[in-house]
Amino acid sequence: MRHDDNLTADRPTFVTHLECSMTGERHEADQVHNLSRAGKPLLVRYDLAGVKKALTKDALANRPADLWRYRELLPVRRKEDIVSLGEVMTPMVPMPKLSRKLGGGEILVKDEGRLPTGSFKARGLVMAVSMAKALGIKHMAMPTNGNAGAALAAYASHCGIKTTIFCPEDTPEVNVSEIALQGATVYRVNGLIDDCGKIVGEGKAKVGWFDTSTLKEPYRIEGKKTMGLELAEQLGWDVPDAIFYPTGGGTGLIGMWKAFDELEKIGFIGSKRPRMIAVQAAGCAPMVKAFDEGKEHAPRWENAHTIASGIRVPQAVGDFLILRAVRESGGFAIAVEDPAIEVALDEMAREEGFLLCPEGAATYAAYKQALADGRIKNTDRVVLFNCASGLKYPLPKSEKKLDRLKPIDYGAL
């Protein structure tokens, strides 16, 4: 088996059509789409009976451990259209010391920071860019809080697609520089990510670029879906009791819920589902408010603020899909304060040697909060998503210092 077998081998494809997530209206596959005619996200549908005949667990086990091992359940039809920078299967890392400390069940962290560009945004954007290449799109644009823009810039540059990216004015310089260095034209905007999204939407008509915003194209969900496919395979075709997911636009939560449904229909898992838990920051928690109020849609959250910038999304176009998945799974939406995020990041780094990103730290803070208030049992096996490498974010300075010009008292160290 070649290391790149998933990228070079011919494999059957099973996409039948695209479907409006609200109305169920059918849209043709292999054509350029943004939202459905009803203005809602489109979902890719497959001939799952055909997939069931073509793909076995044994065949899958013999493939290289990367995202493209699941090609029968992905939308890219031709291997020539695959754009890849090496999307590895990310590890699930156990946190036994913290589990013992908290008196809880097994804690597993799915570490998405191992992916190209250092975040789980690589999953969605590798699929969006590969499909853009397949469909002949020449210019892509998007709003970003940082990591998504970096992933789009990297993949688009790799295959020669032009990119224009807009980010909030307070986006960390490391993210802006990363985006620019990887070939995109990047602008800072005086506003939040949804203000950036308005510029992208207006430019679609004026400039002619393709709007790659979260859930405004159909294929980022399919890339993020692979988190659920991987997770189930890594657990021996089982699912955890609960998944804590940092939720801004919510593409990954929606995608994983779709993945579990497809896996059951091809006979790889049973009917058991994890409780899907949408984690937000207290300073930007539109899903939590809508969930608590029993609503289907989440109005814009005003004056959004949090140190976890990746989940600072005041309004999500897929709000009803996020809330639907959370409710159908028996899960919940939970908000955590910024100080709790900081404590969680520090605690996991010191106790387990694992450096979370702020959004990942929010999931650990939420787990502790839910364990304490009884929403999670102390026997539950949980998966926390660390959505990016902690090394991409500013780190606190160490206050400890040794003066090498003086004798060192080693007994005091």
Side-chain angles (χ1 to χ4, degrees), residues 260-312:
F260 299 139
D261 179 63
E262 292 173 357
L263 286 173
E264 182 181 0
K265 287 175 178 172
I266 65 172
F268 277 33
I269 66 171
S271 60
K272 177 186 173 184
R273 294 289 186 275
R275 297 172 71 198
M276 305 299 289
I277 297 158
V279 177
Q280 298 200 298
C284 184
M287 296 304 151
V288 179
K289 186 174 187 292
F291 178 83
D292 289 345
E293 294 176 353
K295 294 180 179 177
E296 187 179 15
H297 296 282
R300 187 180 194 273
W301 187 276
E302 299 301 328
N303 303 313
H305 63 278
T306 174
I307 59 171
S309 60
I311 53 175
R312 190 182 62 180

Side-chain angles (χ1 to χ4, degrees), residues 314-328:
Q315 191 165 23
V317 68
D319 53 0
F320 68 101
L321 293 172
I322 297 167
L323 293 163
R324 184 185 298 171
V326 169
R327 289 180 175 126
E328 287 178 357

Side-chain angles (χ1 to χ4, degrees), residues 382-404:
V382 303
V383 172
L384 314 179
F385 269 86
N386 183 47
C387 52
S389 170
L391 295 171
K392 296 189 74 173
Y393 297 80
L395 299 175
K397 292 182 179 180
S398 173
E399 300 301 324
K400 297 183 185 294
K401 183 179 179 182
L402 281 173
D403 188 345
R404 295 196 49 91

Side-chain angles (χ1 to χ4, degrees), residues 14 24 49 237 254 301 308 368:
F14 296 93
W237 299 112
I254 297 164
W301 187 276
K368 290 197 295 179

Side-chain angles (χ1 to χ4, degrees), residues 142-155:
M142 75 180 315
T144 184
N145 279 319
N147 284 323
L152 176 60
Y155 286 111

Side-chain angles (χ1 to χ4, degrees), residues 116-323:
T117 72
S119 89
F120 66 174
K121 297 296 185 179
R123 292 186 188 270
L125 273 304
V126 71
M127 210 59 59
V129 172
S130 294
M131 287 303 298
K133 179 183 177 185
L135 295 168
I137 291 169
K138 303 300 183 185
H139 188 178
M140 303 174 78
M142 75 180 315
T144 184
N145 279 319
N147 284 323
L152 176 60
Y155 286 111
S157 292
H158 196 55
C159 69
I161 294 176
K162 181 180 178 181
T163 50
T164 304
I165 295 171
F166 302 88
C167 58
E169 189 172 23
D170 62 355
T171 302
E173 185 59 42
V174 63
N175 296 122
V176 179
S177 298
E178 180 186 12
I179 293 166
L181 186 61
Q182 290 173 159
T185 300
V186 57
Y187 297 94
R188 292 182 185 269
V189 174
N190 183 19
L192 299 177
I193 191 169
D194 54 347
D195 297 304
C196 298
K198 291 174 185 174
I199 296 172
V200 173
E202 291 167 0
K204 180 182 174 183
K206 295 177 181 179
V207 182
W209 56 45
F210 179 75
D211 187 344
T212 319
S213 303
T214 300
L215 295 178
K216 289 188 178 179
E217 64 81 53
Y219 303 108
R220 288 175 67 178
I221 289 178
E222 296 305 293
K224 287 288 193 71
K225 178 180 79 176
T226 60
M227 293 188 296
L229 303 178
E230 276 186 18
L231 184 154
E233 185 176 4
Q234 288 171 313
L235 294 178
W237 299 112
D238 194 5
V239 295
D241 295 301
I243 292 174
F244 284 76
Y245 188 80
T247 305
T251 313
L253 192 150
I254 297 164
M256 282 191 285
W257 194 240
K258 184 174 187 285
F260 299 139
D261 179 63
E262 292 173 357
L263 286 173
E264 182 181 0
K265 287 175 178 172
I266 65 172
F268 277 33
I269 66 171
S271 60
K272 177 186 173 184
R273 294 289 186 275
R275 297 172 71 198
M276 305 299 289
I277 297 158
V279 177
Q280 298 200 298
C284 184
M287 296 304 151
V288 179
K289 186 174 187 292
F291 178 83
D292 289 345
E293 294 176 353
K295 294 180 179 177
E296 187 179 15
H297 296 282
R300 187 180 194 273
W301 187 276
E302 299 301 328
N303 303 313
H305 63 278
T306 174
I307 59 171
S309 60
I311 53 175
R312 190 182 62 180
V313 178
Q315 191 165 23
V317 68
D319 53 0
F320 68 101
L321 293 172
I322 297 167
L323 293 163

